[in-house]
Amino acid sequence: MTDPVSVQTAERLTAERKFTEAADVYRSLLEVEENKTDAGLWCGLGRVLMLDQQFYDAIDAFTTAANFEPKNPKVLAELGDALAAVHEYEEAKLWFEKAASLEDNIRYQLRAGDMLAYLGKYDEALVYYTLLSSKYPENADLLHNKGKVLHHLGRTSDAMNTILEEIRLRKEMAERSPDAQSYAKLAAAYKRIGLWQEAEEEYSTAVRLAPENPEYHMFLGSARVMNGKPAEGVAEYETAAEISGENFSLLSEIAESATKFKMYDAAIRIYTRALAVRNINGDAWAGIAYALLMMNQKDDARAFFEMAKATGSMRELPWADKLHKSYKTEALDQAFS
């Protein structure tokens, strides 16, 4: 029988972002003979590994769980999420469809549609979302996904109308449930149509309600930058990084966002924090190289790009698979080829 105290310990460590320690607890539990077929423990391990960006190990854990509980839609969907994280979209779609066939859950259906979009099959994704719309006409997440696909298809007017309808629903949801997530999702909808002032206001509310959430600080920072407040924006990114502690995944996400909004100094500082947690990551080294290149510090950029290629060749992380497929490494390849 699974020791509930040990499971609680693993969950507490996960909440504290001590992912390695949490994974060790789950693994020790799974070494006990009677626990080896416990799908819940395998899923717990998989979730921790996902948070720690150990995606291939997470896939193994969720696959094991799915073997033990092949009719559990939640397990199948978590396996799909793990496969999607390493861009195995075709296979992930199959698992989301299996989950949806077992339980009428719109999340599973939306994720299957997402996979079509990630594969660049925008026409098929639009048909898929349109069919879902007849069943879920008031679902804001569905409208969000549909709007993105319409944008990719160049149907600007339809995309705008879809997002405006999403905003209407998000406002109603925030009024009914005035929590941080509701305001953050409303802000994201405003952001997608360039209403940055409105986005900043809603992200500010989200931060006020959940000041411990690093992503909300990051999103608020981007809105402030777009509203002509670069110093305030950088400060929010720095706060986001500080709150993230040693969470490599979050630090990488924050640094990537800072790069996209051309906060190159901040991006370098945050990527450096991430590399202090895990220095074998080609994408992080490439991120610093790209920021240096954009700041016209070419000699330093070349050195960091060489480190990116060296660590990427070790293939210890799945991001090595996409090292030469990002906009950053494309620019670096062009600069130093």
Side-chain angles (χ1 to χ4, degrees):
M1 181 176 180
T2 303
D3 178 9
V5 176
S6 295
V7 173
Q8 290 171 4
T9 298
E11 291 173 346
R12 174 180 56 77
L13 290 168
T14 302
E16 294 173 355
R17 302 191 183 103
K18 297 177 180 178
F19 302 133
T20 300
E21 295 175 39
D24 287 343
V25 174
Y26 279 118
R27 288 191 175 104
S28 66
L29 286 168
L30 287 165
E31 288 175 357
V32 178
E33 189 64 34
E34 63 186 24
N35 291 338
K36 290 182 178 179
T37 59
D38 188 326
L41 288 177
W42 284 106
C43 283
L45 175 61
R47 292 181 201 115
V48 171
L49 293 169
M50 285 287 287
L51 289 168
D52 201 31
Q53 285 200 348
Q54 303 292 330
F55 298 121
Y56 290 117
D57 288 341
I59 289 169
D60 290 341
F62 288 128
T63 299
T64 303
N67 288 336
F68 292 133
E69 292 191 5
K71 299 295 184 181
N72 186 326
K74 185 176 180 181
V75 173
L76 305 188
E78 289 191 289
L79 175 55
D81 286 328
L83 289 162
V86 296
H87 303 177
E88 294 291 345
Y89 302 130
E90 290 279 10
E91 189 176 353
K93 178 174 174 288
L94 295 175
W95 287 106
F96 289 126
E97 288 173 339
K98 288 180 181 179
S101 71
L102 293 166
E103 180 183 333
D104 186 15
N105 185 320
I106 188 172
R107 190 188 100 77
Y108 306 152
Q109 297 171 72
L110 284 176
R111 290 295 280 154
D114 290 346
M115 298 307 104
L116 289 170
Y118 292 154
L119 288 163
K121 300 178 180 180
Y122 300 120
D123 287 313
E124 291 182 42
L126 180 58
V127 171
Y128 189 95
Y129 290 140
T130 301
L131 290 172
L132 277 180
S133 295
S134 62
K135 187 175 181 181
Y136 304 100
E138 295 282 291
N139 187 281
D141 291 334
L142 174 54
L143 289 170
H144 174 85
N145 292 10
K146 188 176 180 181
K148 288 196 293 186
V149 168
L150 287 165
H151 173 76
H152 280 293
L153 289 170
R155 293 172 56 174
T156 307
S157 179
D158 290 337
M160 175 66 76
N161 290 335
T162 301
I163 297 168
L164 289 174
E165 178 62 12
E166 178 195 351
I167 288 172
R168 181 187 69 79
L169 292 174
R170 297 285 188 203
K171 285 181 176 179
E172 292 178 359
M173 293 168 69
E175 289 173 1
R176 290 195 305 269
S177 178
D179 55 31
Q181 185 180 56
S182 295
Y183 286 108
K185 286 189 173 184
L186 173 57
Y190 280 129
K191 181 174 71 174
R192 287 175 57 220
I193 55 175
L195 294 177
W196 289 102
Q197 186 59 50
E198 290 82 351
E200 181 180 346
E201 291 171 4
E202 304 302 339
Y203 280 135
S204 294
T205 302
V207 165
R208 178 175 56 80
L209 293 171
E212 74 289 349
N213 187 305
E215 290 186 312
Y216 295 163
H217 284 279
M218 177 184 72
F219 295 143
L220 175 58
S222 65
R224 286 184 169 161
V225 168
M226 294 303 293
N227 284 327
K229 306 171 188 175
E232 293 179 38
V234 169
E236 291 295 336
Y237 273 82
E238 299 286 5
T239 298
E242 186 66 32
I243 294 171
S244 297
E246 295 187 355
N247 187 325
F248 178 85
S249 179
L250 277 174
L251 288 168
S252 298
E253 179 186 354
I254 295 162
E256 170 70 9
S257 179
T259 302
K260 288 182 177 178
F261 285 94
K262 301 182 179 180
M263 292 179 278
Y264 299 124
D265 280 322
I268 290 171
R269 288 194 295 273
I270 299 167
Y271 271 128
T272 301
R273 290 179 69 124
L275 286 168
V277 177
R278 182 182 300 159
N279 61 12
I280 301 176
N281 185 276
D283 199 55
W285 288 102
I288 294 176
Y290 177 81
L292 289 166
L293 181 65
M294 293 300 99
M295 296 166 68
N296 204 34
Q297 298 180 29
K298 290 190 174 181
D299 289 341
D300 288 339
R302 184 191 298 273
F304 277 93
F305 189 36
E306 291 303 318
M307 283 297 300
K309 290 187 283 187
T311 54
S313 68
M314 299 173 77
R315 301 184 66 80
E316 293 198 13
L317 290 168
W319 299 120
D321 295 342
K322 73 180 182 75
L323 180 60
H324 294 287
K325 300 177 185 178
S326 72
Y327 70 95
K328 291 177 292 187
T329 49
E330 182 178 352
L332 289 161
D333 276 330
Q334 290 179 355
F336 300 123
S337 61

